[in-house]
Amino acid sequence: MATESSNSNGKSVLDLEDKSGVAGGVEDVYGEDSATIDQLVTPWTVSVASGYSLLRDPHYNKGLAFTEQERDAHYLRGLLPPSISSQALQEKKLMHNLRQYDVPLQRYIAMMDLQERNERLFYKLLIDNVEELLPVVYTPTVGEACQKYGSIFRRPQGLFISLKEKGKILEVLKNWPEKSIQVIVVTDGERILGLGDLGCQGMGIPVGKLSLYTALGGVRPSACLPITIDVGTNNEKLLNDEFYIGLKQRRATGQEYAELLEEFMSAVKQNYGEKVLIQFEDFANHNAFELLSKYRTSHLVFNDDIQGTASVVLAGLVSALKLTGGALSDHTFLFLGAGEAGTGIAELIALEISKKTNIPVEETRKKIWLVDSKGLLVSSRKESLQHFKKPWAHEHEPVKTLLEAVKAIKPTVLIGTSGVGKTFTKDVIEAIASFNKKPVIFSLSNPTSQSECTAEEAYTWSEGRAIFASGSPFDPVEYNGKVYVPGQANNAYIFPGFGLGLIMSGTIRVHDDMLLAASEALAAQATDANYEKGLIYPPFTNIREISAQIAAKVAAKAYELGLASRLPRPDNLVKFAESCMYSPVYRYYR
Ligand code: NAD
């Protein structure tokens, strides 16, 4: 329990009593601080203005939930109407208000307003109503929010680092008010979801992802830093938009780009140390692969589009085996789209099969085929292919279209990662359903408008036999009197728990085996009741328990590989993960 009465400015300083159920004086588990007890550890560094400014500080504001005693102690009398609400009542009211909005973007704006007004209530809402609010704060609505960011932009969130800050990035990082950062999500805005180059407006993505780190993975909000690197945009519409908030120039590339990123990566390590997790998000694939391979040996980096997607999709495939029967190695995979997501997933599948069968990965790749915009990747195209596509250019005659590829390869699993909607046509789905009892069909492209097919199309055209999952959510579908619940291969299943596992074990590098561990942990969470409805992912309602399981498995792998620096290793990693999680319940200020 903390006690302090005034700071150097003579302002009242809050006395924080933890009501989260964690005993006072809890050991400082990270060697820095834990998710729930941050203010307990260093209370005298927390100086919160009282009265009027307290109501405007989102970290501490509780609105009508301030008690009589708090109103007296912190100069709030008269600044609030007399009624006192519980957090539960505030939550009920806000959910009621949110549901009045028909337009998803209005809900997004209302949630962002809440985050800026009352952070704990924002996270309480998000945690308690995760299935309903995930599509609001993340895909698909966040896509529209990024597209319209210029007009809905009210207050800056996160840190903007542009070419103007070259040579000064360390200083810019020091401008951020929080010093103990554990996770950075960074984008350069070049490939936002399936929407292309949105430049500086991509900031919605790191902000949204980090709110999920807190809500789903329990990483405390003050340890999360969203960053957008602005090197310009090639989006003509934005360049000609007088309200565009970013640099009005075409994207820097080559050495200029590499130097800015290098300065950024060094500054982050210098400012926050070796254990800060840097998650790359929505970079275009030519930069994404390069950044990941360049920094994976020197920094704790994770690319969610490549590695997170791969892990969540592999979890879905492992889980789907319960419905299809057999092993992963019995399947033949065909992808539409050979970019970050497609080749990332393909590589992790090949690795998993290799680990399970002891067959070299060069061999296990041969059952995985990819189609890009020019057709099937085949050996005769090898010379002209980007380096990340080359391992998938197998011996085969050229095939131009997806339908021809389906007929030629006869896949058991069809995965869409092209970013192009409506490409799993009736012909394609009927073809794969013609030689599979239970075809596995994942249409992963986001947002919903870009999905390769809808859930309804997959179930209807396969006569209810498809095992379907998508990137953006679809409602359950009734077909021939049976209700099918589509799975959502949402990266949000994996990255919050994955990140928590890295943080709580003090891991310094990401290893592919940790991704496999996360997949297996997630796949193990689907129950028989889920499978009965055709659902291969567990529902999001239990996401914090799922995240704790994933975190524990990732941390266990980190200890096994000698990459964890938090010693000694806790005996029960699941319990430890749970104890590290941030609680959004209000604290009582004395
Ligand atoms: P990317 O740009 O790296 O790759 C896209 C690939 O699709 C490229 O290989 C391109 O050649 C190919 N392509 C483009 N048009 C095509 C066409 N008409 N036919 C065949 N191939 C075509 O993008 P990415 O990061 O791989 O993302 C692709 C999509 O996957 C996006 O819509 C993204 O939102 C989605 N995604 C979903 C999840 C998820 O569901 N968990 C995760 C990551 C990405």
Side-chain angles (χ1 to χ4, degrees):
M1 199 177 298
T3 49
E4 189 72 20
S5 58
S6 70
N7 65 13
S8 54
N9 303 322
K11 282 180 176 171
S12 148
V13 177
L14 291 185
D15 206 325
L16 302 167
E17 187 177 1
D18 187 61
K19 296 269 177 181
S20 63
V22 180
V26 175
E27 144 199 45
D28 174 7
V29 285
Y30 295 162
E32 295 148 17
D33 50 16
S34 83
T36 51
I37 57 169
D38 44 333
Q39 286 104 333
L40 285 177
V41 177
T42 51
W44 46 87
T45 65
V46 179
S47 67
V48 181
S50 60
Y52 190 78
S53 9
L54 173 56
L55 290 178
R56 275 150 191 79
D57 186 333
H59 302 306
Y60 301 101
N61 178 32
K62 300 198 274 186
L64 285 181
F66 280 111
T67 62
E68 300 286 4
Q69 295 90 321
E70 287 173 328
R71 292 176 190 210
D72 282 333
H74 301 293
Y75 307 95
L76 295 167
R77 282 271 162 220
L79 300 182
L80 289 163
S83 156
I84 293 180
S85 285
S86 63
Q87 196 178 22
L89 191 64
Q90 288 180 312
E91 186 177 350
K92 186 175 168 192
K93 180 174 129 192
L94 275 160
M95 285 311 295
H96 173 78
N97 289 352
L98 275 177
R99 288 173 185 141
Q100 304 299 307
Y101 294 121
D102 294 329
V103 180
L105 191 62
Q106 289 175 321
R107 294 185 183 198
Y108 176 88
I109 294 171
M111 283 300 281
M112 290 304 113
D113 281 348
L114 177 61
Q115 193 176 18
E116 283 171 20
R117 205 167 62 237
N118 183 337
E119 189 178 86
R120 281 182 184 267
L121 190 55
F122 169 82
Y123 285 113
K124 186 88 174 64
L125 240 64
L126 201 47
I127 293 167
D128 292 347
N129 305 278
V130 64
E131 287 192 311
E132 185 173 348
L133 294 181
L134 203 60
V136 177
V137 299
Y138 206 66
T139 185
T141 314
V142 73
E144 191 187 351
C146 288
Q147 286 175 314
K148 298 177 181 161
Y149 207 74
S151 49
I152 62 171
F153 177 84
R154 292 174 190 197
R155 267 197 218 184
Q157 291 173 294
L159 210 51
F160 293 89
I161 297 176
S162 76
L163 287 169
K164 286 189 195 170
E165 279 72 52
K166 191 158 191 282
K168 295 182 264 189
I169 296 182
L170 188 59
E171 285 168 51
V172 175
L173 292 179
K174 290 188 190 297
N175 287 344
W176 186 250
E178 305 290 348
K179 302 299 166 218
S180 164
I181 298 299
Q182 292 171 325
V183 189
I184 290 172
V185 174
V186 59
T187 187
D188 72 353
E190 190 167 1
R191 198 239 64 206
I192 296 300
L193 304 172
L195 301 170
D197 185 350
L198 296 183
C200 195
Q201 299 190 171
M203 182 55 106
I205 297 293
V207 168
K209 283 254 153 144
L210 283 167
S211 65
L212 302 186
Y213 255 110
T214 299
L216 316 186
V219 177
R220 73 196 145 80
S222 60
C224 298
L225 172 55
I227 296 184
T228 292
I229 295 188
D230 185 353
V231 295
T233 178
N234 295 340
N235 182 328
E236 291 299 333
K237 213 169 144 211
L238 294 178
L239 289 171
N240 294 321
D241 178 355
E242 62 174 320
F243 298 121
Y244 177 54
I245 56 171
L247 284 186
K248 284 204 172 185
Q249 64 169 73
R250 299 195 77 77
R251 279 187 177 272
T253 55
Q255 197 179 343
E256 194 183 8
Y257 180 88
E259 280 176 10
L260 192 77
L261 267 291
E262 175 64 26
E263 185 189 339
F264 168 70
M265 295 301 288
S266 314
V268 164
K269 202 159 151 180
Q270 194 176 338
N271 207 36
Y272 303 117
E274 188 90 5
K275 289 182 275 176
V276 63
L277 171 62
I278 304 169
Q279 177 164 317
F280 295 116
E281 201 66 53
D282 286 2
F283 282 74
N285 61 35
H286 52 103
N287 290 321
F289 285 106
E290 205 161 309
L291 289 169
L292 186 61
S293 68
K294 185 167 174 190
Y295 292 107
R296 66 185 304 168
T297 51
S298 59
H299 290 66
L300 182 66
V301 290
F302 171 68
N303 183 307
D304 192 42
D305 305 302
I306 302 172
Q307 298 168 298
T309 305
S311 188
V312 76
V313 174
L314 177 61
L317 294 172
V318 170
S319 178
L321 295 175
K322 286 259 171 63
L323 294 169
T324 59
L328 209 56
S329 51
D330 300 332
H331 284 271
T332 304
F333 304 84
L334 180 65
F335 286 76
L336 181 72
E340 285 174 69
T343 60
I345 301 164
E347 192 61 37
L348 204 65
I349 296 172
L351 190 64
E352 172 78 0
I353 298 177
S354 168
K355 294 249 170 202
K356 286 270 155 31
T357 56
N358 283 327
I359 297 171
V361 82
E362 293 72 24
E363 281 300 308
T364 60
R365 286 190 187 124
K366 290 187 180 157
K367 288 194 84 180
I368 305 173
W369 297 82
L370 289 90
V371 171
D372 70 2
S373 54
K374 298 198 174 71
L376 192 65
L377 301 189
V378 289
S379 47
S380 57
R381 293 181 55 196
K382 203 161 186 170
E383 287 311 304
S384 62
L385 291 175
Q386 288 160 289
H387 67 94
F388 53 87
K389 294 183 183 175
K390 287 187 197 285
W392 310 102
H394 306 316
E395 285 303 326
H396 198 284
E397 67 228 33
V399 175
K400 277 266 168 267
T401 68
L402 177 65
L403 182 60
E404 285 163 10
V406 169
K407 289 179 178 165
I409 304 296
K410 298 213 171 353
T412 54
V413 178
L414 179 65
I415 300 179
T417 51
S418 61
V420 186
K422 305 267 164 236
T423 34
F424 290 174
T425 56
K426 191 164 186 266
D427 287 348
V428 165
I429 289 179
E430 282 177 351
I432 188 172
S434 71
F435 45 78
N436 285 295
K437 221 163 113 197
K438 285 183 188 280
V440 179
I441 300 172
F442 286 6
S443 62
L444 298 179
S445 291
N446 295 319
T448 317
S449 57
Q450 312 306 119
S451 190
E452 281 79 5
C453 67
T454 64
E456 189 173 2
E457 288 165 346
Y459 293 124
T460 311
W461 294 337
S462 68
E463 297 159 330
R465 287 182 286 124
I467 299 168
F468 178 79
S470 54
S472 296
F474 282 106
D475 288 333
V477 174
E478 201 181 319
Y479 175 76
N480 267 356
K482 190 176 168 197
V483 175
Y484 298 83
V485 184
Q488 195 192 350
N490 191 324
N491 292 32
Y493 275 117
I494 291 281
F495 73 82
F498 190 82
L500 180 66
L502 299 175
I503 294 168
M504 74 185 207
S505 55
T507 298
I508 51 164
R509 300 285 177 267
V510 168
H511 191 286
D512 283 345
D513 284 0
M514 297 173 190
L515 298 170
L516 299 179
S519 299
E520 284 174 13
L522 175 57
Q525 298 300 306
T527 62
D528 287 344
N530 302 146
Y531 291 127
E532 264 164 38
K533 296 180 218 148
L535 186 58
I536 50 173
Y537 290 99
F540 257 104
T541 17
N542 304 327
I543 186 68
R544 277 208 163 192
E545 287 111 88
I546 296 168
S547 293
Q549 295 288 341
I550 293 173
K553 285 281 190 289
V554 169
K557 192 51 85 179
Y559 282 105
E560 194 185 312
L561 294 166
L563 291 167
S565 68
R566 187 194 177 278
L567 298 169
R569 176 195 191 278
D571 289 337
N572 186 330
L573 286 167
V574 176
K575 280 222 163 72
F576 183 63
E578 283 165 355
S579 76
C580 289
M581 288 184 174
Y582 163 86
S583 158
V585 173
Y586 286 145
R587 288 155 177 231
Y588 175 64
Y589 308 146
R590 275 195 305 177

